[in-house]
Amino acid sequence: MSNIKANKRESAVGIVIENIKEQILNRNINPGDKLPSELELCELFGVSRSSVREAVKTLVTMGILELHPGKGTFVTSGNSVCSVDSIFFNLLLTNSNLHELNILRQIIEVDVINLIIDNYDNNSEYRIEMQNSVDKLSDMIRGSYNEKQLLETDIEFHNLMASACGNSIIDSIYRGIMDYVRYSVKRSYSTQTPERIYNSHAAILSGINARDKSKTEDIISYALIPWKESTQI
């Protein structure tokens, strides 16, 4: 981080935030790397310790840094979804356009299924777990269940789809979307039965196992109908 040059017109906190982000983007520091100590950062940027602490706190909130008590401050590792969570939380606060969200989910789910098909020979473990999830829904229909169990089983299936797609970036984005829509998914249970959820998941898995991309858009369109209705899109 020796090449950092602070712009004195920026706030002290902004100096630290922007330069740390720049170093990460330029790969001068990498995911999982430990940052210099608080005192070293103060000397490096020519700012106070309170400014460094506030900047680090902000970067942690953004999901860029992680605090490990007793060890120090680290750049978020590649398997963290904190930054994705932050992105979708900001969307929740600043953009309530449900029509655009519907388009995004439709596009992502179609692409996820097609990637699962492309990656078919390498994702048998996840497809088995997806089948187990479908079977769990079937057991719930025949037995007893509560709404929380239904929601967790529903979201679990989509998270397994994310894992099976074989693309770590899309995996994180799709999980972020599903976390973002969790409450609207729950609301959709007022307009769809567990049998309807079972049929949707079974159709998705059947389409994947048939390895037929020509039916993907129709499968997803069918699966999303109750969710669209519940959000009044």
Side-chain angles (χ1 to χ4, degrees):
M1 299 177 67
S2 59
N3 294 326
I4 295 175
K5 294 182 179 179
N7 183 338
K8 298 301 182 181
R9 290 175 297 178
E10 298 177 279
S11 70
V13 174
I15 289 171
V16 181
I17 291 173
E18 293 307 315
N19 281 288
I20 289 178
K21 287 166 62 177
E22 181 180 351
Q23 295 301 305
I24 294 171
L25 291 173
N26 290 337
R27 297 299 184 183
N28 293 325
I29 47 177
N30 297 300
D33 283 356
K34 182 179 179 179
L35 260 62
S37 69
E38 186 178 280
L39 181 58
E40 289 173 318
L41 289 174
C42 290
E43 294 175 350
L44 189 61
F45 297 121
V47 299
S48 68
R49 298 186 75 165
S50 61
S51 295
V52 169
R53 288 172 185 166
E54 184 64 28
V56 168
K57 181 180 178 181
T58 300
L59 290 168
V60 169
T61 301
M62 294 170 66
I64 294 173
L65 298 180
E66 298 175 345
L67 293 177
H68 295 187
K71 296 182 179 179
T73 304
F74 295 78
V75 179
T76 300
S77 58
N79 60 358
S80 173
V81 297
C82 292
S83 57
V84 175
D85 290 343
S86 178
I87 289 170
F88 285 101
F89 185 71
N90 286 334
L91 282 174
L92 176 63
L93 293 177
T94 61
N95 188 350
S96 59
N97 189 322
L98 295 176
H99 177 66
E100 291 182 355
L101 177 59
N102 168 47
I103 293 173
L104 174 63
R105 187 177 175 189
Q106 175 99 18
I107 291 171
I108 290 292
E109 293 206 4
V110 168
D111 285 345
V112 165
I113 289 178
N114 287 339
L115 282 171
I116 294 172
I117 293 172
D118 289 340
N119 197 42
Y120 194 86
D121 293 334
N122 300 311
N123 58 25
S124 60
E125 176 185 353
Y126 296 116
R127 286 187 285 103
I128 290 171
E129 291 187 49
M130 289 170 67
Q131 182 62 62
N132 290 340
S133 179
V134 171
D135 293 342
K136 188 189 298 184
L137 273 175
S138 179
D139 292 340
M140 290 169 65
I141 292 169
R142 293 196 302 267
S144 60
Y145 67 91
N146 57 48
E147 192 175 72
K148 181 179 178 181
Q149 291 172 321
L150 182 61
L151 179 62
E152 293 306 317
T153 303
D154 192 353
I155 298 297
E156 173 193 48
F157 182 83
H158 291 279
N159 286 340
L160 288 168
M161 286 172 55
S163 297
C165 80
N167 184 304
S168 60
I169 296 175
I170 294 178
D171 182 336
S172 293
I173 291 173
Y174 186 41
R175 287 174 187 272
I177 290 174
M178 292 312 302
D179 189 55
Y180 178 74
V181 303
R182 172 181 286 267
Y183 296 104
S184 56
V185 168
K186 184 178 179 180
R187 286 198 303 272
S188 75
Y189 298 160
S190 64
T191 60
Q192 68 172 326
T193 63
E195 288 84 358
R196 179 64 167 76
I197 300 170
Y198 169 84
N199 289 338
S200 295
H201 290 191
I204 289 171
L205 187 57
S206 177
I208 289 169
N209 287 330
R211 305 173 83 165
D212 185 359
K213 293 183 180 181
S214 67
K215 298 180 180 179
T216 301
E217 289 194 24
D218 289 340
I219 290 171
I220 291 302
S221 293
Y222 169 79
L224 293 182
I225 288 173
W227 177 70
K228 294 178 187 178
E229 292 175 349
S230 72
T231 52
Q232 300 181 343
I233 293 175

